[in-house]
Amino acid sequence: MSEKMWGSEPFWGLGYDWDPDWVYTDRQKELRATLIELCEQELRANAKRFDDELMFPRRNLELLGEHGFLGLTVPEEYGGLGENHVAYSMVCETIARYGCASTAMCYVMHIGAVNAIMLRQTPELVDKYIRPLNSGKIGTLSYSDPETGSHFWYPVSSGAERSNGGYRVRKKASWTTSAGFADFYVVQTTSPDFSGYDDLSVFVVDGDQVQSQPSLWDALGLRGNQSGPLEVPNVEIPATQIVGPEGDGANSNDESVDPWFLIGSSSVWNGLALGAIDIAKRHTTRKKHVDVGLRVADYPTIQDYVGEVLMDTNAARLFVLSVAQAMDRETDGNTRNPEPGALARGNYLHWAWQIKFEAAKNVAHVVDKMLHACGGSGYKRDMELERYLRDAKAGWVMGPTNEVLRQFVGKAVLLGFESLDYWNQSYNRRAVENEVKKLDAAAKRELAEQLMSEAAEQEPKEPAKRA
């Protein structure tokens, strides 16, 4: 196995012996080597400046574009690299580990936007947004809502109407990575003939049509990714900029947006964990305690720390790669998309929830342990470990939060997938009947009259919804 290099010197962290190279193709290993070289030459040095100055990592993203990575999963016929889910996981992990976590997260959202378009590609969308990617065109997803927090699939503050042969779109988002800096935004809103929160549509809005306030972004970590509020202020867009048919948003979310985001973000957290281990190896093998004649790495306690976190991290990264492989098999290596209403990647969504939870939980533990291993030196900013620690803390709270995912999985296991009720379509009959039992006769009559009145108003509208 070749030696991992950092410029002209051997890499100071973990060697290739600790990377699952049997998973990658030869071409994917070449892409990884290119990325490591880019990180050594520029991406990693830029990361400190982006963090210190709250700068959007455009230079890093443009550099990735120059080498084809902005079109990583795009077919070669459209100017992309034609790669698959495994390659995507490797790229996100590598950028976060050796380079810049803010760049990695912007990249995740960019690829998410690209693949949302490619799921329902049209010649017009491909020509306008996909073919120019390697010239540095950057996209992002805008799915959050200020009213629903990490339940980002439920866009209350949004809407779309048909207008002048196209659409008039409005959207408020509480968290949008690359807000104010992306060239295009893939947004989810309620549909023109809205009939409930599973009736959603997806649109592409150009960067000059959105409003944002990047100056408000000042966060604990991922300080370059500019994940601030965004508004699409009731703008008109042509009919060619709807992505898929009206009402396709829920299916698009499950088939494309969630799978790509969860694989990518999980890989970022795994990359940060590996990067923290790299830094700890460099420090503990070089730092000596002259009084006892030992390096820090010679202490059994430090060896225990590193052994545990590496095993846990490799378990998390192989979990991600396994799910990526499953999605590759389901889509013939990312060369086939299902028709609207059908699922391929979405069949593994409950596995994608698990990989995000495990990766985010693990990285929080790893960065803390590596800080302990490095002692006071790790607390200083010049070692970089503190930046990895701050960036890693975003993993747990980034939507869907680990609390949401834990409940999703537990509820689905115990009560079945239908109990999740993403879009608030069913009611808990047992809970309702239990509450009604508490009412006296007068209160029950009052409630019954209210419900009958609401039913009378609702009935004339229901046939129009079903039409």
Side-chain angles (χ1 to χ4, degrees):
M1 183 175 292
S2 62
E3 187 172 28
K4 187 181 296 184
M5 301 298 292
W6 190 248
S8 60
E9 302 291 332
F11 181 57
W12 35 264
L14 301 170
Y16 284 127
D17 288 339
W18 303 106
D19 290 324
D21 277 10
W22 65 89
V23 175
Y24 307 127
T25 65
D26 289 342
R27 187 194 188 207
Q28 288 166 356
K29 294 174 191 174
E30 291 171 1
L31 291 174
R32 182 182 60 185
T34 297
L35 280 172
I36 293 174
E37 185 177 353
L38 293 176
C39 289
E40 188 274 331
Q41 290 175 348
E42 188 166 352
L43 266 63
R44 193 181 188 100
N46 288 342
K48 184 179 189 311
R49 186 160 57 97
F50 299 150
D51 181 74
D52 288 344
E53 302 177 24
L54 288 167
M55 288 179 62
F56 180 69
R58 181 169 293 278
R59 170 57 189 157
N60 280 2
L61 291 165
E62 289 174 346
L63 194 59
L64 293 173
E66 291 170 12
H67 290 80
F69 289 102
L70 294 184
L72 176 75
T73 57
V74 172
E76 292 180 359
E77 64 189 282
Y78 301 141
L81 296 180
E83 277 293 347
N84 60 16
H85 300 81
V86 167
Y88 170 60
S89 173
M90 178 274 294
V91 169
C92 296
E93 179 189 285
T94 302
I95 297 170
R97 176 181 181 179
Y98 302 98
C100 171
S102 289
T103 302
M105 189 51 62
C106 292
Y107 183 78
V108 168
M109 298 302 185
H110 164 81
I111 293 293
V114 167
N115 282 295
I117 292 173
M118 292 304 297
L119 178 70
R120 306 288 182 240
Q121 61 180 278
T122 63
E124 293 85 358
L125 289 172
V126 167
D127 287 345
K128 185 171 183 179
Y129 299 107
I130 302 302
R131 293 188 189 277
L133 289 177
N134 290 335
S135 64
K137 201 175 187 76
I138 299 164
T140 195
L141 296 166
S142 186
Y143 272 56
S144 64
D145 190 287
E147 302 298 328
T148 57
S150 64
H151 300 175
F152 60 84
W153 57 88
Y154 202 95
V156 174
S157 305
S158 72
E161 302 171 357
R162 299 182 194 92
S163 176
N164 296 322
Y167 295 93
R168 186 175 290 277
V169 178
R170 67 182 186 279
K171 169 81 176 179
K172 288 186 178 179
S174 48
W175 302 88
T176 298
T177 295
S178 306
F181 295 92
D183 299 296
F184 62 91
Y185 298 79
V186 174
V187 304
Q188 178 178 260
T189 75
T190 54
S191 295
D193 296 323
F194 179 58
S195 61
Y197 277 96
D198 59 344
D199 184 10
L200 307 171
S201 295
V202 180
F203 303 91
V204 189
V205 180
D206 294 327
D208 59 4
Q209 292 182 293
V210 307
Q211 296 176 357
S212 64
Q213 294 179 282
S215 62
L216 297 179
W217 174 250
D218 189 357
L220 174 70
L222 296 179
R223 287 167 58 82
N225 81 335
Q226 295 294 333
S227 188
L230 184 90
E231 182 173 1
V232 181
N234 209 30
V235 302
E236 285 200 359
I237 63 171
T240 53
Q241 287 178 212
I242 188 171
V243 184
E246 292 180 8
D248 186 54
N251 181 256
S252 170
N253 181 80
D254 289 352
E255 175 57 29
S256 182
V257 171
D258 273 6
W260 287 104
F261 168 73
L262 291 169
I263 285 179
S265 60
S266 300
S267 301
V268 170
W269 311 134
N270 289 335
L272 281 167
L274 290 161
I277 299 170
D278 289 332
I279 292 170
K281 179 187 175 185
R282 178 178 61 186
H283 174 72
T284 58
T285 55
R286 295 176 180 178
K287 175 69 174 177
K288 296 179 181 178
H289 291 163
V290 177
D291 54 333
V292 293
L294 295 174
R295 299 171 302 169
V296 175
D298 294 325
Y299 290 94
T301 298
I302 304 303
Q303 296 163 7
D304 288 350
Y305 280 171
V306 172
E308 177 190 21
V309 298
L310 179 59
M311 288 187 283
D312 287 347
T313 300
N314 273 333
R317 73 198 293 213
L318 283 166
F319 193 5
V320 174
L321 288 166
S322 176
V323 174
Q325 287 176 322
M327 293 183 184
D328 281 332
R329 284 193 296 270
E330 195 78 5
T331 60
D332 299 330
N334 192 37
T335 62
R336 179 182 61 82
N337 286 316
E339 295 298 316
L343 294 176
R345 301 168 189 86
N347 291 326
Y348 298 95
L349 190 52
H350 58 299
W351 289 96
W353 296 336
Q354 296 175 69
I355 63 174
K356 189 272 180 178
F357 179 90
E358 291 298 334
K361 182 177 74 169
N362 177 68
V363 72
H365 174 71
V366 171
V367 292
D368 282 344
K369 281 295 184 184
M370 295 302 91
L371 175 62
H372 299 166
C374 293
S377 297
Y379 200 69
K380 296 167 63 180
R381 297 196 70 194
D382 59 2
M383 191 182 285
E384 298 184 293
L385 182 60
E386 62 84 31
R387 188 178 74 244
Y388 278 68
L389 186 150
R390 289 186 289 105
D391 289 341
K393 292 300 183 182
W396 189 281
V397 298
M398 186 174 289
T401 64
N402 272 28
E403 285 81 8
V404 168
L405 294 173
R406 188 162 49 195
Q407 187 190 38
F408 273 4
V409 173
K411 194 172 184 179
V413 167
L414 296 173
L415 305 177
F417 287 105
E418 64 279 0
S419 69
L420 296 178
D421 192 23
Y422 291 141
W423 291 284
N424 212 25
Q425 301 292 299
S426 60
Y427 77 105
N428 187 330
R429 182 164 185 164
R430 284 189 294 271
V432 170
E433 290 176 350
N434 185 64
E435 293 300 307
V436 170
K437 287 177 184 177
K438 301 175 184 178
L439 303 178
D440 59 20
K444 286 179 179 177
R445 287 193 197 93
E446 181 183 352
L447 177 60
E449 290 171 1
Q450 177 186 335
L451 292 174
M452 291 298 291
S453 175
E454 291 177 0
E457 292 180 6
Q458 185 175 339
E459 281 174 344
K461 302 174 184 177
E462 289 185 345
K465 287 183 180 180
R466 289 193 291 267

